[in-house]
């Protein structure tokens, strides 16, 4: 038996944060870890545990006010902390590669993606010709299953979806065949099908190139999909290291046990799912979406003075009852966020009606719309850009009350203080700026700003997707308490099916702008009718066995272009069960009993199709 070869050995790594006049604070303390050739080491912990600082420290990308105080980072026996800067820069990119969690800002927006990767390759291998460099990059783009790799080579970053950008960054990282890849939370911003494809791709590339991978994530389900061993970080310290199987079966540390207890279970326990039955009060429809469509004109780059049309939302129809928790799920680009802008009247549909409490909000005049906005609020995804950095937290939460008027300053202050306490924010934060707040605290500020108007409907557009599972669970408990106390109604727009399983009693599944399945929680997760729903479930990162196998259902590549939607069923090009009729007719949304509808010819032929 061949002994494993050590790639990276870290000993007593300590990183501190300079707090100026307040001294320093340890962010990482005495961290030890090792990675062998051809091994995937998972790093897990909640937000603030030090995962990202550790991943950047390993490639010596820690900058002020952070400082590597002490320790050894030995790559093949050589301490990276003692290498001259020029040698470290040569090593980083050639033998040690790094991929971050924000693919959208990783490349120059003014240059074609393929050209940027070629530029990097030529800087590392000056002797390689332009032609050979281009051929190698295109081969790798093909290897990561980039759709139309040769064409994408010349396209700019803004023309790439999130999944394609992450594939491009994997090529950028692997183009020099590195020994070690550091991947920092690279699947967090991606929907479940793209994330599953990226994980499968990394497993294949790791097997083919013998690359060691340090994989950072806040999701145990994701770590379970790819890692051999797991290192658990808590408060900047390593509290446990085991194989993934041993860790899930017999965690030793109390922190690890709590992390595992917080993992959303999708199929193992029905107790994890919300009840499908609705209360008698929930029979009142608060929002009715009727045949809504939204099309965006865009310039056709292949023709002079010509336009093309992006069909973002197509004939969407559903009702939201008072007290509902309705989820809208689907891949990136399926129309979820466009629909959220329509539901919140940030945009107006091209056709159809959106009735809120019986009134169509699309043609509504500004004065009436402003008055009605007290009753419905939109919460956005990014906790860092959704609140202004120059306003105090109390003033930020109070802003809607000043906009709507009718209250004295003292009454506004009292309302804001009561709302802050209701969402779990300390009153000590009232006069402070948001700098230094965690992502979870920032989302609580956004929630308080919405709640201060006493709305009846909250539209949550990926509001929890930037948070780890611990913060998610806390905010879901908060939403449930608010619903019990205030009778709130929620629309969750999300790609996180584990969260949806816990929080939502009804689910609408969207594909390429259409609602293709609408059902209660149990039907969606246990007996889904549409093959696309089963494909989504086959891709969910989980620590339990999935009833829908990835080898049967997992999708490859991207959905069809919403400018050129294929004839017949728009899902047929990716459906493993498509029949002749699917190419000829676009199936309508068939009603299937109480509150259940499916747009699929297969359920028309066999209602119990699995």
């Amino acid at each position: 038996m061949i002994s494993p070869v050590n790639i990276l050995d870290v000993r007593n790594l300590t990183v501190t944060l300079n707090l100026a006049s307040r001294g320093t604070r340890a962010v990482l303390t005495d961290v030890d870890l090792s990675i062998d050739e051809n091994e995937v080491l998972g790093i897990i912990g909640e937000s603030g545990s030090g995962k990202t600082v550790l991943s950047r420290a390993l490639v010596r990308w820690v900058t002020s006010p952070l400082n590597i105080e002490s320790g050894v980072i030995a790559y093949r026996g050589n301490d990276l902390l003692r290498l001259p800067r020029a040698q470290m820069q040569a090593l980083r990119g050639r033998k040690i590669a790094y991929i971050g969690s924000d693919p959208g800002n990783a490349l120059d927006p003014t240059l074609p993606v393929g050209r940027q990767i070629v530029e990097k390759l030529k800087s590392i291998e000056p002797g390689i010709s332009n032609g050979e460099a281009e051929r190698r990059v295109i081969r790798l783009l093909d290897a990561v299953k980039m759709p139309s790799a040769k064409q994408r080579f010349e396209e700019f970053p803004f023309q790439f979806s999130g999944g394609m950008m992450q594939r491009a960054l994997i090529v950028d990282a692997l183009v020099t065949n590195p020994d070690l890849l550091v991947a920092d939370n690279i699947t967090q911003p991606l929907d479940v099908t793209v994330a599953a494809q990226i994980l499968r791709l990394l497993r294949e590339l790791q097997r083919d190139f013998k690359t060691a991978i340090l994989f950072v994530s806040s999701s145990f389900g994701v770590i379970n999909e790819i890692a051999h061993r797991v290192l658990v970080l808590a408060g900047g310290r390593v509290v446990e290291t085991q194989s993934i199987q041993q860790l899930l079966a017999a965690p030793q540390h109390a922190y690890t046990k709590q992390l595992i207890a917080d993992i959303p279970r999708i199929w193992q326990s029905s107790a994890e799912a919300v009840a499908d039955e609705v209360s008698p009060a929930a029979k009142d429809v608060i929002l009715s979406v009727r045949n809504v469509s939204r099309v965006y004109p865009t310039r056709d780059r292949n023709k002079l003075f010509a336009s093309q049309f992006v069909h973002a939302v197509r004939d969407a129809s559903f009702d939201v009852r008072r007290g509902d928790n309705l989820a809208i799920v689907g891949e990136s680009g399926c129309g979820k966020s466009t629909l959220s802008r329509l539901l919140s009247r940030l945009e107006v549909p091209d056709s159809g009606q959106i009735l809120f409490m019986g009134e169509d909000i699309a043609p509504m005049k500004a004065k009436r719309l402003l008055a009605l906005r007290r009753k419905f609020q939109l919460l956005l995804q990014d906790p860092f850009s959704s609140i202004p950095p120059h306003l105090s937290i109390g003033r930020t939460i109070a802003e809607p009350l000043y906009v709507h008027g009718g209250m004295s300053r003292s009454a506004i202050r009292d309302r804001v203080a009561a709302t802050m306490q209701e969402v779990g924010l300390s009153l000590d934060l009232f006069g402070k700026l948001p700098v230094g707040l965690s992502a979870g605290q920032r989302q609580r500020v956004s929630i308080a700003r919405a709640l201060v108007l006493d709305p009846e409907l909250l539209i949550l557009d990926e509001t929890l997707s930037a948070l780890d599972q611990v913060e998610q669970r806390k905010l879901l408990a908060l939403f449930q308490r608010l619903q019990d106390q205030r009778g709130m109604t929620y629309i969750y727009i999300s790609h996180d099916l584990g969260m949806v399983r816990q929080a939502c009693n009804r689910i609408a599944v969207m594909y390429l702008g259409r609602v293709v399945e609408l059902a209660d929680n149990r039907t969606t997760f246990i007996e889904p009718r549409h093959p696309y729903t089963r494909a989504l479930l086959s891709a969910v990162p989980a620590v339990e066995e999935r009833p829908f196998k990835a080898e049967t259902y997992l999708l490859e590549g991207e959905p069809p272009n919403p400018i050129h939607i294929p004839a017949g069923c728009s899902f047929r090009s990716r459906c493993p069960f498509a029949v002749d009729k699917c190419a000829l007719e676009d199936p309508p949304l068939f009603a299937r009993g109480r509150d259940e509808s499916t747009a699929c010819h297969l359920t028309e032929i066999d209602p119990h199709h699995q």
Side-chain angles (χ1 to χ4, degrees):
M1 183 176 178
I2 300 175
S3 298
V5 177
N6 181 262
I7 291 286
L8 194 73
D9 195 50
V10 178
R11 292 288 171 260
N12 303 316
L13 178 65
T14 297
V15 177
T16 57
L17 173 65
N18 184 359
L19 300 173
S21 60
R22 291 177 292 161
T24 62
R25 176 173 65 84
V27 179
L28 296 174
T29 304
D30 293 332
V31 171
D32 293 346
L33 65 87
S34 65
I35 310 174
D36 293 333
E37 274 186 350
N38 207 24
E39 182 185 29
V40 180
L41 175 67
I43 307 288
I44 196 161
E46 60 187 311
S47 295
S49 62
K51 302 186 303 296
T52 292
V53 173
L54 175 59
S55 70
R56 294 180 71 84
L58 297 182
V59 296
R60 233 176 82 180
W61 256 342
V62 169
T63 56
S64 180
L66 291 170
N67 179 57
I68 298 178
E69 194 78 23
S70 61
V72 174
I73 304 174
Y75 166 74
R76 295 194 179 276
N78 296 312
D79 187 358
L80 299 182
L81 299 180
R82 288 171 172 75
L83 282 184
R85 181 178 297 273
Q87 282 184 249
M88 184 64 215
Q89 287 178 335
L91 195 64
R92 188 197 305 127
R94 181 189 294 272
K95 292 298 182 184
I96 301 174
Y98 178 91
I99 308 175
S101 60
D102 186 6
N105 293 321
L107 295 177
D108 186 335
T110 66
L111 293 174
V113 170
R115 296 292 168 195
Q116 294 187 60
I117 302 174
V118 164
E119 194 174 289
K120 172 186 173 179
L121 178 58
K122 292 191 70 178
S123 70
I124 291 170
E125 297 184 25
I128 192 171
S129 68
N130 279 332
E132 177 53 34
E134 288 179 19
R135 285 190 290 273
R136 188 189 299 184
V137 170
I138 290 172
R139 279 198 304 270
L140 275 174
L141 289 171
D142 272 325
V144 300
K145 299 180 174 63
M146 179 74 75
S148 308
K150 195 169 184 180
Q151 174 190 335
R152 300 292 183 190
F153 180 90
E154 297 291 355
E155 290 186 353
F156 292 82
F158 75 88
Q159 295 174 284
F160 279 47
S161 68
M164 289 192 292
M165 276 297 296
Q166 208 61 290
R167 285 175 166 85
L169 292 182
I170 290 172
V171 170
D172 183 66
L174 296 180
V175 71
T176 58
N177 194 17
D179 288 337
L180 173 66
L181 171 64
V182 178
D184 181 14
N185 243 350
I186 65 173
T187 61
Q188 182 170 342
L190 305 177
D191 61 63
V192 289
T193 54
V194 174
Q197 292 173 36
I198 294 296
L199 290 175
R200 186 161 72 178
L201 172 64
L202 282 178
R203 287 195 300 268
E204 292 171 357
L205 293 172
Q206 186 250 341
R207 181 193 64 217
D208 296 342
F209 291 95
K210 311 300 182 189
T211 304
I213 300 176
L214 184 132
F215 193 94
V216 176
S217 179
S218 56
S219 166
F220 251 116
V222 172
I223 290 288
N224 187 45
E225 296 287 322
I226 191 167
H228 300 118
R229 285 189 302 124
V230 185
L231 181 149
V232 183
L233 270 182
R237 293 180 181 272
V238 178
V239 298
E240 189 164 354
T241 306
Q242 290 198 67
S243 72
I244 182 63
Q245 295 85 359
Q246 291 173 327
L247 194 76
L248 290 172
Q252 300 300 305
H253 197 276
Y255 177 78
T256 312
K257 292 176 182 177
Q258 187 58 53
L259 277 183
I260 293 173
D262 285 336
I263 299 171
R265 263 56 175 196
I266 298 176
W267 296 284
Q268 279 184 357
S269 171
S270 59
E272 289 290 329
V274 297
D276 293 326
E277 294 301 320
V278 294
S279 66
K283 294 179 181 177
D284 176 21
V285 174
I286 190 172
L287 184 74
S288 184
V289 179
R290 301 179 180 176
N291 306 108
V292 164
S293 294
R294 183 72 170 102
V295 178
Y296 297 101
T298 182
R299 187 170 67 85
D300 187 345
R301 291 181 175 81
N302 298 317
K303 298 178 183 177
L304 192 62
F305 306 122
S307 294
Q308 302 178 108
F309 297 93
V310 177
H311 299 269
V313 176
R314 302 186 292 142
D315 199 32
S317 295
F318 54 87
D319 288 336
V320 183
R321 301 186 188 91
R322 194 175 298 276
D324 253 352
N325 291 337
L326 174 74
I328 301 173
V329 303
E331 293 174 286
S332 297
C334 73
K336 304 189 302 294
S337 290
T338 299
L339 187 56
S340 78
R341 292 195 294 272
L342 297 174
L343 298 182
S344 54
R345 193 26 173 85
L346 295 179
E347 294 187 26
V348 177
D350 296 308
S351 60
Q353 292 181 304
I354 300 175
L355 306 176
F356 178 69
M357 301 177 70
E359 294 185 70
D360 189 355
I361 64 174
M364 202 170 277
K365 301 297 183 184
K367 186 175 181 180
R368 175 58 184 151
L369 182 63
L370 179 63
L372 202 62
R373 278 197 185 280
R374 298 182 71 101
K375 298 298 181 183
F376 64 89
Q377 290 288 302
L378 172 67
L379 290 176
L380 297 173
Q381 174 179 1
D382 188 349
F384 292 93
S385 62
S386 59
I387 57 177
H390 62 285
L391 292 181
S392 71
I393 290 165
R395 186 64 175 81
T396 295
I397 296 171
E399 186 69 17
L401 296 175
Y402 285 110
V403 169
H404 286 271
M407 294 180 69
S408 67
R409 285 184 176 274
S410 62
I412 288 176
R413 184 179 180 86
D414 290 344
R415 173 78 68 85
V416 170
T419 307
M420 287 179 66
Q421 289 180 309
E422 190 175 21
V423 302
L425 287 171
S426 169
L427 292 183
D428 294 340
L429 297 173
F430 191 99
K432 295 182 178 178
L433 295 175
V435 61
L437 292 188
S438 68
Q441 287 175 309
R442 286 170 175 268
Q443 283 300 39
R444 287 175 190 269
V445 172
S446 294
I447 294 165
R449 182 174 54 185
L451 289 178
V452 78
L453 290 172
D454 197 21
E456 297 187 35
L457 172 68
L458 281 186
I459 302 166
L460 311 170
D461 188 1
E462 298 284 11
T463 304
L464 305 182
S465 66
L467 307 179
D468 63 59
Q469 62 192 32
V470 175
E471 276 299 318
Q472 275 194 6
R473 184 174 281 268
K474 291 176 182 176
L475 287 183
L476 287 176
L478 169 62
F479 289 146
Q480 182 60 56
R481 190 173 73 249
L482 292 171
Q483 190 169 53
D484 294 341
Q485 294 171 352
R486 296 188 177 208
M488 300 281 296
T489 302
Y490 298 113
I491 297 176
Y492 289 85
I493 294 169
S494 181
H495 64 254
D496 186 345
L497 294 176
M499 183 275 293
V500 165
R501 176 65 160 148
Q502 296 175 82
C504 300
N505 65 307
R506 297 172 64 228
I507 294 101
V509 181
M510 288 189 73
Y511 183 77
L512 211 60
R514 286 196 65 194
V515 175
V516 297
E517 184 156 13
L518 180 63
D520 61 34
N521 186 300
R522 183 192 177 282
T523 300
T524 300
F525 285 92
I526 307 301
E527 297 179 318
R529 302 287 188 255
H530 202 284
Y532 178 62
T533 308
R534 297 196 289 274
L536 291 179
L537 294 174
S538 76
V540 176
V543 296
E544 57 195 300
E545 185 177 354
R546 290 182 290 256
F548 305 100
K549 302 301 182 185
E551 52 267 27
T552 302
Y553 294 106
L554 183 60
L555 305 175
E556 290 291 353
E558 306 281 323
N561 190 327
I563 295 174
H564 305 294
I565 294 175
C569 174
S570 53
F571 184 61
R572 66 179 173 83
S573 62
R574 305 171 82 195
C575 179
F577 309 106
V579 296
D580 291 344
K581 188 176 183 180
C582 301
L584 304 174
E585 299 177 24
D586 191 10
L589 200 61
F590 296 107
R592 300 288 175 197
R594 184 182 70 85
D595 290 342
E596 184 181 341
S597 303
T598 311
C600 180
H601 291 306
L602 298 172
T603 57
E604 183 183 13
I605 297 167
D606 176 9
H608 301 288
H609 169 72
Q610 292 294 318

